[in-house]
Amino acid sequence: MTPSRPDADPGDGPGPSDGAEPTAGDAAARLREERVSLHARMAALAEDMGTFFEASRDSNADDEHDPEGQTIAYERAQLSAVTEQTRRHLAEVEAALGRIDDGSYGSCEVCGDPIAPARLEVRPTARTCVAHAPGQRRR
C-alpha cells in the first residue's frame, strides 16, 4: 500500500500534527507511556544508587581531596537530585491520569476554563491555563 503523501506512514491516523485537537484518550495514552518510562527510569536510578553505595561502602578513599574528579558526596547529591526530579514528574503524570479518570482533565484548576489544546499537547500534565501557570507574571 502506498501512502498518499511521500512522508506519510500508512499507519498514520489523525493526530495533533494533522490539525486535529488532541483528545483525553490521546493524552491518557501518552501519559501511560510516560509513566512506564518513568518507572523504568526510577528503577535504573535506584540500581545506580545501589551500585554506587556498594562500590563506596568498603572504600576508605579520601575523595574530598582528590584533585582528579568529583567527590562521592557530589555524585550522590547529583543522583539524588535526578531521582527526586523523576519522582516529582511521575507524581505529575499520575495526577494527570487521575484528572482524566475523574473528568477534570483539560480544565484550569484556578478559573475552570478549558486549557488550550496546544498547551496540553506540549505539557500533558498541565493543571492550569497559560494565564494561571506558575511563574506567570500578573498584571
Side-chain angles (χ1 to χ4, degrees), residues 37-68:
S37 175
L38 289 167
H39 277 291
R41 184 169 187 195
M42 289 294 293
L45 290 167
E47 185 177 327
D48 289 349
M49 187 67 87
T51 301
F52 178 75
F53 281 121
E54 187 63 34
S56 64
R57 178 179 302 170
D58 297 325
S59 175
N60 64 355
D62 180 12
D63 77 326
E64 299 298 324
H65 297 97
D66 180 3
E68 295 184 22

Side-chain angles (χ1 to χ4, degrees), residues 1-18:
M1 180 172 153
T2 305
S4 58
R5 299 185 326 237
D7 63 332
D9 181 355
D12 280 352
S17 61
D18 296 332

Side-chain angles (χ1 to χ4, degrees), residues 41-42 45 77-88:
R41 184 169 187 195
M42 289 294 293
L45 290 167
Q78 290 291 94
L79 188 55
S80 292
V82 171
T83 300
E84 182 56 30
Q85 180 183 26
T86 303
R87 189 175 291 120
R88 281 192 311 265

